[in-house]
Structure formats: C-alpha cells, structure tokens
Amino acid sequence: MKESKDALKKDIISVSASGIPKKKRPPGGKALARLKQFVRKRNLPLNLTKKMIPKKPDTRLMMRDTISSNVNDVPGGSTGFKARRYSDAVVETCNAVNTKTREILTAAPRTARIRPSANISAHTSSNTAASNAASTAAPLWRSIGPTSITNGQTYGNSRNIVSGRVAAIAIDPSDSKHILVGSAGGGVWESTDRGAHWKPRTDFMPSLKTGALAFDPSNPSLVYCGTGEGSDYAGLGQGLMKSTDGGTSWKMLCVDPFAGQNFFDLIVDPDNGKHLVAATTEGIYTSIDRGVNWTQRKIRVCWSLAMSSPPESNREVLAACYYGLYQSMDGCVSFVKMNLQTGGHKFERLAVAISKSNPGKAYAFGVLEGTKEALLWCRPAVDAPWMPVTTPADIDVEQAWYDWFLEVSPDDEDQIYLGAIEAYRGTKIGSTWKWVTISNKQGDDIHPDQHCITIDPANANNIFIGNDGGIFFSPNRGKDWQSLNVGLGITEIEYLSHNMKDKKWLLAGTQDNGTIRYTGKLQWEQVADGDGGDCGVNHAAPEVCYHTYYGMGMELSAQCGQKDTWASIGPDIDFEVGDIFYPPMEVNGDVVAQAGRSVFVSRTRGANLDEIPLPGGNMGTAMYIPTPDDLYVATHKGAIYKIKWKGTEWSKPKALVRPRPGAYISDLYVDAKNLNRIWVTSTTVDGNRCFRSDDGGASWVNCTPDLTDLPISSIEVDPLNANCVWIAADVGVYQSKDAGVTWSAYSNGLPNAIACDLIYNPKAKLLRVGLRNRGVWELKV
C-alpha cells in the first residue's frame, strides 16, 4: 500500500491496511529524536545533539587543555587538544578487532593483512595485497547486502532505488566520472564510472563516520576526508584522512585536534595545495602544511565554507557559523562578521556559497535559532550589503540542523540550489526569483532529507545530491533523476529478525529507509516505509511476521512480510518528548509484545492487547520472551522486570535485582531451557556493560572486565550451547566460549562500523550482524 503525497507531507509516515494513520513527527523532527536516543543510550551529553555546540568540557567524555578566552580571532588559536575517552576506546578497539580484510562487494577480493597495533597514524585502508598466515584460520564475515534497496520511499509519486545516508560527495576535477561518496557511517566509496559501480575504500579505518571530502584542485591525486558526520552522532570523528591515489587507499593524516569532533566542510585552496580550511563541530581550523598541523581560528560550530576563485592574494573565504556569517581576506587568519540584519540572533543552521562565474556574488541560506522560517540573502559584490531573497513557499525547515545545503550554478550567478527536507532550484528572472521543487514532483523523485550537493565541474547540467536514501544524479539540473545506489552498501541497519526455517529470509529495520526484506539476493526490497524499527517472526508459523516504526505501534503480515500485506495491531500511542525512539518488540509463537511506558502484550498475534504499566517512570528498552508464559523487560534506568502469565491474566511486573542501577539496558537474553540464566547488556559508557545471572536475577556476575570499553548493543547465545555467547559493540563482535569469563574479538573481515543487532540461526549455524551504514554481514559458526 502506498501513502499519498499529501499524507506524507503532513508528516504521517504510513497508513495501515485498516486505515489507521500512524506516527506524526516528534518535535524537532524524527532525526533529532533518534539522535537523542543514541546519545542517551551511551550517557553522552545531550548538548552535543541538536546544535553540536559543546558549551563546556564534559568530564565523562573528554580531557582537553583549557581554551584561552581570546582564541576566537587570535592567530595561532588553541592547541593541545586531546582525544575524548569515547573516541580513544573506538581507536583502541579498531586496532585490535580486524586481523584480516577482504573486499566483499567487488569482483577482485582484497587479500588478508594484519592491522597495525600501535600508532593510529599507521592505519591504512587500501587495495594493496598483503598477507599474514596467522590470520588465515580465523572465520571470515561476508556481506549479504543490501547493495541497494528497491521500492525506496520518496515524497513524490514514484519509487526509487536507495541505499543509505550520504553526507559528502566529491568529483575529481580532472575526471568527472571519478566520484567519491562519504556515507554517514559506512566510510568512503569510490566510483570511476559515474556511479555505475562502487567500491568501499575505508572499511578498516578507525572511523567510518564521514563528514567532508575534498580533492586538491591543483593535484587531484590528493584527497582529504574529515571523519565524523557533522549533523549526526557526537564524538565519533577520529581525525583527518588522506589519500595520495585519488581516493583508492587512505591513511590517517592527523588525529589532533579533530579526535572527538565531527566535520561539516573541508576546502583545499585551488592555488596553494598546502592551505586547507576545515569546518567542524568545534569551529574553524586552518593548515598551511597539507593538513599535518592545524590552528583553530574560531570556536563554536561552523557548518559551511566558501572560497572565491580569484588569485590567492585576493581570495575571499566566507564561513557560516553559529554566531553568523564571517568573511576572511587573509587566508582565514582573521574574520570579520557580515551584517545579515538578524537582530543579534544565533543560527540554527547556516550555509554559504560563492558564484564561480562572478566571484563577487555570494549567497547565504539559514534559519535563526528558535524560529521556523527559511532565510536567504544575496550579496551582488564583495563590498555590497547582503539583501534578503524570497525563499520557496513550501520549504520545511524543521530539520534544518540535520538536512541543509546551498550551491550556485557554476555557469549562472543567478541560479542556486537549496536543500532542506526537499531540494529546490531557484532562478532569478529579472527581479523575481522562480522556484522549482526538484526532489518531489510529478515524475521521477528522489528520497527526502537532503545533505549535500555537488555540481560537475565539466558540465553544470550534471548535479549530484546526497540524502538519506543515497546518491542521485541529474543530467539536466534536477528535471530528471537517476539513482546511483546500485552497489552502494551503506544501509543503516537498526534491527534484524529471521526465519529459522529459511536461511535466505531476513527482515530488517533501517534508518529512514523503512523495513526491508532479504530473500537471498544482495539487492533487498523495501516492504514498509518510514524509519524501520524492531521486528520479529513467529517461528512456529514463520509466514507471520511483525515490524515497527519509531514510537509505539506494531504491524503484522501473514504473508512473509511482502509489501502491501501489513496491518496495524496497535498500540496506537502518539510519540511524546522523551519517549524511546525505537521501542523494543518481541515475539514467541502467537505471543507478541511491545514495551514503552507500559508493556503491551497479546497472546493471539496482536489481537486483544493487554497493557501492563511499568513502575517508577521506567520505559522499556529491551525485552525477551523465552516461553509464551514468561516475559522479561528492561528499562532505561537499569531496572529489569519479569511478567508471568497466570492462566487468565498477566502478573504485575516483578523487579529483579539491578546489575547496574541507572544504566541503559540495551539487550536481554533469557535461556528458554533454564530461566535462571539471564544475560543483560548496556550501552552506558564509563562502567560495566555485560552481566550474567545464574539464579533468575537475584544476583549478577560481571562479565565486562575482559571486554572492550565500548557500548554494547546486542547479545546472542547459542541455544545448543549456553556457554557460547556473542555480543555486538560500537566497533566489532566478540565471542565467549565460557559464559563470559573470557572474550575474544570475533570480527575478522568485518568493517569498523557500529554493530547494532545480532541474530543466530542454529539450524544453519549462521551468525548475522546488522551494521550502521554498512548493511548485514554473516558468519558460518
């Protein structure tokens, strides 16, 4: 069933077969609510979400030298930054996790090599063959896709092929068919045939979060990548990477000062390749030695940079920052604030662009903090005032902090492109601006939530847009579109479920690309729209399956999850501020349950849902149903409850001992053959995160000491061997064969993406893991 364009534009993501509208957007947009859940789960500071503006150092996350109060415009800026603890843990784990690499998604496999174990600067990702005999015996993970997703959602009247969120696009200035894509959490991908084929290039680098890409115009074999996606998870950047072969292989160039920051923009001076300018979540930085050393020029977030094309001595740089728009005429040593007549208001988001055909003309596109009005300015000459320009009438800026871009056509100073939830092309005709929506129209459409745009330097008609659905190409300035997502394996998996009788069938919930289904092919199919959440299968009757969106509410399919077969079973509860974005759902036979502030459970496949309130303001974050009569639920406050079927009704929740009070419980596992054996994991940093109980939750054994320091999202246990356990962390999978006493890395060949969910099929002996922006991988156990 297809949602109407009007319903989607009103922020309703789905209409069930019963006609019940589902889930309006939470305040600030879905992306913000989802991001807040990520940082909340890890006990990270919430002030690093919406605006990404650290107001003060947070001792839970970071250790850094004091910043001088006059650093704002002082040459030399601040120095002495140290990596945040969370970032250090990521780097350390990346050093140890992968002992062997192989390129799964291309025809030419990558040979094994041992990862360096000491200095982060030694990290390399390349196609250069190397080998190590010690690693050949280790089992190797392989990708099962999706390499793309059919039936991808749009806000228009046509569907498309999608992949996952793209945050940056760079075109080789010497060869416009050579394209690099920076995915939100799946690393850098390269194409040499304008997106017909793709290869992953940074799978084993310390961070696959990508914020900015930039070729050196004077030497296109040099490319730079700023890790950490600016508009997303805080603190996951690990520094700046460099490629000397056009983006095929990469090395870490520098860690300080960027470890723990995220990139928004990166520019290489076209006349002086030694001069680089970076915009990050903590300000503006410059380098005069090709990115080896950096000086901070302005503090607070900078979202966008623009550099004019005249000779370097007259070159202008404009910077769009939290406090406003700034101009530099001396290589970014000093900045002067431009007058946009905003009454002193700070910005929610701001972008800037300079015309290539007329370097004096520039545009700025923003939203003021606390407002919902798109603002656009134009400056006709370098010394001229900035004047307001009329914006598209229907532009939606609710998620301006997340999806935003601005660009000028290189051959027309009076034609610009704007990106928010939708994408627009504006052309000045006489004194009037005419706006056309290019992403949502009659004809071929593209996915909403626009993040970046790049225009072919050899042909201004050719534009490339990156959004939550991947990368799309237009040969005529947005009139027609082609998906370039086939082979681009960057889908952001959140949850997995499987049919144990059919190893070629999986269901997965994804970020903004709906619920998708695997039937044995690398190209998966989207079967339900929205943000796909938790999902489950009735293993006694596997044609019956369930999926969720964000917030409370479940849908059932009795036809193996085929599209257009889903029907709502409730509960019909509106999303509230502070709710868990992805509530847990569990299935055991005909019993199905979902937990929010209450547990809603049915013994008849969703009919007659019983509500069981959770005490003390707890919200469910994990559930397990080992038998049809026993239900366990854990919460964001570290509480664990058992609920028992008494023959005619469910019991009130019985509290078990808390293994770690106050910790966010990410997953639960209860042995169906021995209810005394319970496993609990947590994503909360700075503390123990894996526990085992052998007496039904009366006491707990801490199984964390031999594990990574990173948050743990999922746990799976071999039902045929209760002592064989696997966990998924923010980097890597780990295995224990002695019930958690000792652990070993179990990630041979697995990209360094965040691992979100684990499932194990004992009949096929297949362990599967869902990676954030790197799809689903499996291992024969």
mmCIF file of all heavy atoms in Angstrom, residues 176 437 737:
data_model
loop_
_atom_site.group_PDB
_atom_site.id
_atom_site.type_symbol
_atom_site.label_atom_id
_atom_site.label_comp_id
_atom_site.label_asym_id
_atom_site.label_seq_id
_atom_site.Cartn_x
_atom_site.Cartn_y
_atom_site.Cartn_z
ATOM 1 N N SER A 176 35.469 13.845 -14.398
ATOM 2 C CA SER A 176 34.162 13.959 -13.757
ATOM 3 C C SER A 176 33.434 12.628 -13.609
ATOM 4 O O SER A 176 32.403 12.557 -12.942
ATOM 5 C CB SER A 176 33.281 14.935 -14.540
ATOM 6 O OG SER A 176 33.105 14.504 -15.878
ATOM 7 N N THR A 437 10.579 22.835 -7.193
ATOM 8 C CA THR A 437 10.947 21.694 -6.343
ATOM 9 C C THR A 437 11.479 20.590 -7.238
ATOM 10 O O THR A 437 10.784 20.123 -8.137
ATOM 11 C CB THR A 437 9.729 21.181 -5.554
ATOM 12 O OG1 THR A 437 9.168 22.251 -4.805
ATOM 13 C CG2 THR A 437 10.133 20.058 -4.610
ATOM 14 N N LYS A 737 33.352 -18.400 24.916
ATOM 15 C CA LYS A 737 33.002 -19.823 24.928
ATOM 16 C C LYS A 737 32.878 -20.365 26.345
ATOM 17 O O LYS A 737 32.646 -21.569 26.524
ATOM 18 C CB LYS A 737 34.051 -20.624 24.150
ATOM 19 C CG LYS A 737 34.071 -20.298 22.662
ATOM 20 C CD LYS A 737 35.079 -21.174 21.927
ATOM 21 C CE LYS A 737 35.063 -20.910 20.430
ATOM 22 N NZ LYS A 737 36.025 -21.775 19.699
#
